Amino acid sequence: MLRRDEHDGSGYSNGGESPQQSPRRSENQGAVWRSCYEYAVVTSRLKRVEAAESHSGQDEDIEALWRKRAELAKGIVDAAAPTIQDVLMKVAMTASLLSEGELWVGLTPQCLEECDRALAQEGHGEQCLKALEPELWALCQRVQEQTAALEARWDCVNESEEAGGSNDSCDGFSLAMAWDELHESVWSVARYETMTAVGLRAKGKMFSDLLAFFSAMDGMFALQDSYLRDFDHLAYRRLYGKDSPMPRRSVG
């Protein structure tokens, strides 16, 4: 992902040291920068308190700081990002928080909207995706079909259990097989490096559609990470006319 100190001009570092900024400059920054700044300050303070083992009331202070840091992490995701630079910083910080386990979901509807707007997304229909990235379109179609098949098998198992009988055509083994197939298909989409804003939107829509039903699937985390990295790549190219120097992919 983009380094904050190199690309967004904020001077923000993820190493826990609070950035040195004047109050006037801080006031002139946007909501994303301010949220990241507050997170950095609290993280730095938390490290100092944890290092001071003899400090009285340390446990209570540490617990309060952990709670505050969790609130600020969510605040970064919720912060409004009106410019492409704001979205880049928000995406970079969100990816970092996800990798550190501070967040489970960073791709909120607001974040997806901001990414679309930052890339000036216009075409978004299935036919547009099929024409521009047929491989990704086929992968998305497979996920849709397997999701429907899994839900049908799940309903069949539930109906069979409620009736007090068994149905060999929709038993637990069949359900597990359907789950494994969907899991592998989601990973296939996560591994795909989209080259267009239309493809990026397709990944975001898939994440949103699956989140309510399959949030525990580890492929969902990979899909989220894939979306954020693809956005970084596309936005960097849009701003600077060349590929980002940062790694494109971290998912296996």
Side-chain angles (χ1 to χ4, degrees):
M1 302 300 293
L2 294 178
R3 292 193 298 271
R4 268 69 67 190
D5 58 338
E6 181 177 350
H7 301 310
D8 62 30
S10 69
Y12 178 78
S13 169
N14 209 25
E17 294 299 323
S18 57
Q20 299 300 316
Q21 300 285 351
S22 68
R24 178 174 296 179
R25 179 173 179 181
S26 177
E27 290 174 1
N28 292 333
Q29 298 292 340
V32 174
W33 188 94
R34 290 194 299 271
S35 295
C36 291
Y37 179 91
E38 291 173 12
Y39 180 87
V41 170
V42 170
T43 297
S44 179
R45 183 181 174 191
L46 177 59
K47 288 183 177 181
R48 291 197 301 270
V49 173
E50 286 182 326
E53 297 181 0
S54 61
H55 204 277
S56 61
Q58 176 191 6
D59 291 343
E60 186 175 331
D61 289 344
I62 290 175
E63 184 178 348
L65 286 170
W66 274 107
R67 286 197 302 270
K68 181 63 175 177
R69 194 166 87 156
E71 292 173 4
L72 291 171
K74 186 177 183 302
I76 292 171
V77 174
D78 293 339
T83 70
I84 189 171
Q85 289 85 358
D86 289 330
V87 183
L88 275 168
M89 184 177 190
K90 180 174 179 175
V91 163
M93 190 61 189
T94 297
S96 177
L97 293 170
L98 288 166
S99 68
E100 294 170 2
E102 295 286 342
L103 296 172
W104 169 243
V105 175
L107 285 187
T108 63
Q110 175 186 327
C111 182
L112 293 171
E113 264 183 44
E114 290 167 342
C115 289
D116 274 356
R117 186 173 62 247
L119 295 177
Q121 173 60 39
E122 295 178 357
H124 54 80
E126 278 193 18
Q127 292 304 313
C128 187
L129 176 64
K130 187 176 182 180
L132 293 175
E133 299 195 70
E135 183 181 350
L136 178 58
W137 177 84
L139 292 173
C140 291
Q141 287 293 108
R142 187 168 65 184
V143 169
Q144 290 178 10
E145 293 166 1
Q146 291 174 337
T147 300
L150 178 58
E151 291 177 341
R153 284 187 172 96
W154 187 264
D155 290 341
C156 187
V157 169
N158 287 338
E159 290 171 4
S160 178
E161 290 178 350
E162 290 174 1
S166 63
N167 189 328
D168 292 339
S169 66
C170 56
D171 58 14
F173 178 76
S174 177
L175 188 63
M177 287 287 291
W179 175 268
D180 289 342
E181 289 172 358
L182 175 61
H183 183 261
E184 180 53 38
S185 293
V186 172
W187 268 98
S188 295
V189 175
R191 294 186 187 103
Y192 181 94
E193 295 182 1
T194 183
M195 303 302 295
T196 68
V198 174
L200 186 73
R201 171 174 279 189
K203 281 190 177 184
K205 183 178 186 304
M206 178 182 294
F207 180 83
S208 297
D209 290 346
L210 293 175
L211 183 61
F213 303 100
F214 308 111
S215 60
M217 183 190 295
D218 61 357
M220 290 291 287
F221 181 87
L223 181 60
Q224 188 171 212
D225 179 67
S226 174
Y227 178 98
L228 293 170
R229 288 176 176 272
D230 284 348
F231 173 81
D232 175 88
H233 179 84
L234 294 170
Y236 191 96
R237 182 189 293 170
R238 179 177 174 83
L239 279 174
Y240 305 108
K242 58 184 179 180
D243 289 342
S244 169
M246 305 306 287
R248 180 70 180 272
R249 185 64 65 243
S250 70
V251 299

